[in-house]
Amino acid sequence: MARVSQEHLDARRRQILDGAARCFARNGFHATSMQDVLTEVGLSAGAVYRYFSGKEELIAAIAAEAFTAIRGAFAEASKATPPPTPDVLLGAVLRLVLEERIPGADRQAFARLILQVWSETLRDEALFQTLASGFDGMRALWAELVDVYRETGLMTADVEPDRMARTLIATAQGFIAQQALFGDVDVETIQDGLRGLMSMEMQSPS
């Protein structure tokens, strides 16, 4: 029997994840059955269950992929000297994780999927741990970048790096929620808004 190449296995896994993501974004996590996923990807149950035991593993894998992509964006940004400002970096990360993230789905699809992942963490402890680990990693990455901003003279405010990290993450989360619910915003909107806020001059207390 001929051996199946790793490229084939990876492509099949990708096909299943993309199909499941389309189903979850379109119909909701709980309204989607594994049969719906099988129909979407055009594969047998045996072919799909070879990779994932059920919906919980699928949604966890999608969430883990998103955090991997975000970490990759930050790693790339850290190579630049000086590093990109928060508006530029946040825009780059949001484009990476939101735009054309799910092949064959509309531009709101991945944002809707992320909202579902957040809500699912309230009842799924394993998924919560995946999300919490990704969140902690994001906080650490932003905090490190804040230190670099200070070292290069780009930032002078005396605020704890973790507090700035949480605020920037909250900004991204708010954008994702708006995109999922209303679909009337784009990445340039948040970049322009952040750039405007960053231009404010601090006033000395009278």
Side-chain angles (χ1 to χ4, degrees):
M1 183 180 295
R3 294 183 61 186
V4 178
S5 69
Q6 187 61 48
E7 289 78 9
H8 175 83
L9 295 174
D10 291 344
R12 182 57 54 85
R13 185 177 187 275
R14 176 81 271 139
Q15 177 186 355
I16 295 167
L17 282 174
D18 288 344
R22 286 194 297 273
C23 286
F24 296 151
R26 183 171 60 240
N27 302 320
F29 183 67
H30 292 289
T32 298
S33 67
M34 282 302 291
Q35 184 58 50
D36 293 329
V37 175
L38 299 179
T39 301
E40 181 74 22
V41 299
L43 296 173
S44 67
V48 172
Y49 284 115
R50 176 180 182 179
Y51 297 87
F52 303 99
S53 64
K55 291 195 299 182
E56 288 74 16
E57 278 197 5
L58 281 165
I59 202 74
I62 291 168
E65 274 197 347
F67 284 120
T68 298
I70 292 170
R71 285 193 294 270
F74 271 91
E76 187 66 26
S78 67
K79 299 176 183 177
T81 304
T85 52
D87 58 318
V88 174
L89 179 56
L90 197 59
V93 172
L94 285 171
R95 286 190 183 92
L96 180 65
V97 300
L98 290 180
E99 294 185 357
E100 300 181 0
R101 185 67 184 172
I102 305 177
D106 62 72
R107 67 190 299 266
Q108 287 178 257
F110 199 69
R112 291 196 301 268
L113 184 59
I114 290 175
L115 255 62
Q116 291 182 56
V117 170
W118 291 345
S119 64
E120 192 64 17
T121 60
L122 300 177
R123 60 173 293 278
D124 186 326
E125 179 62 26
L127 186 58
F128 170 78
Q129 292 301 328
T130 297
L131 194 68
S133 176
F135 178 70
D136 289 344
M138 285 297 301
R139 284 170 55 197
L141 286 168
W142 271 115
E144 289 176 8
L145 209 54
V146 167
D147 287 335
V148 176
Y149 289 151
R150 285 176 170 166
E151 291 171 3
T152 56
L154 292 173
M155 183 177 290
T156 58
D158 187 19
V159 179
E160 291 181 14
D162 184 64
R163 293 189 176 185
M164 284 187 275
R166 285 177 178 269
T167 300
L168 288 164
I169 293 171
T171 301
Q173 290 173 319
F175 173 84
I176 290 168
Q178 287 187 41
Q179 178 75 328
L181 295 171
F182 309 116
D184 61 348
V185 291
D186 52 33
V187 174
E188 286 72 22
T189 298
I190 195 170
Q191 285 188 296
D192 287 348
L194 274 176
R195 186 162 55 251
L197 291 171
M198 289 160 52
S199 69
M200 295 176 64
E201 294 184 5
M202 294 295 295
Q203 301 293 323
S204 300
S206 56

